[in-house]
Amino acid sequence: LKPEFLQPVSEGLPDPWTAQPAQVQTEVTVTILSGHYLPKPLGKGDKSEVIDPYVEVSIHGVEADCRKFTTKHVDDNGLNPKWKETF
């Protein structure tokens, strides 16, 4: 299901290479719930050390859409961290 401005040129439709989409605002909601059995980053020496995980979410697209979000870190819980954060 392509938006109209990306469909092939035919019967009055604009050329997808030169046409611009109408300015339509769309909202995307991302919720980070939890993780399970997260590995330690490579190069960490002490095997008994517990990690403090966090999640980075990157949205890529046109310049106006690009965003980066980061959750709070969870102290000493790489086994079953829970965030329940919404962006």
Side-chain angles (χ1 to χ4, degrees):
L1 298 174
K2 291 182 182 178
E4 203 172 286
F5 74 94
L6 287 179
Q7 294 177 5
V9 178
S10 65
E11 299 177 24
L13 290 177
D15 179 7
W17 301 108
T18 59
Q20 296 296 317
Q23 296 226 348
V24 178
Q25 186 173 356
T26 303
E27 186 173 312
V28 175
T29 303
V30 177
T31 301
I32 307 298
L33 298 175
S34 63
H36 301 282
Y37 304 109
L38 301 178
K40 290 184 199 178
L42 294 174
K44 295 292 180 183
D46 186 8
K47 295 194 184 293
S48 64
E49 181 182 336
V50 180
I51 62 171
D52 300 331
Y54 61 92
V55 176
E56 288 183 357
V57 178
S58 296
I59 298 174
H60 302 274
V62 296
E63 189 175 339
D65 293 340
C66 295
R67 299 280 189 275
K68 186 174 182 180
F69 304 97
T70 304
T71 63
K72 298 175 187 169
H73 72 277
V74 177
D75 290 327
D76 298 331
N77 189 352
L79 184 63
N80 192 26
K82 292 184 177 141
W83 289 279
K84 296 182 185 174
E85 291 185 39
T86 301
F87 302 105

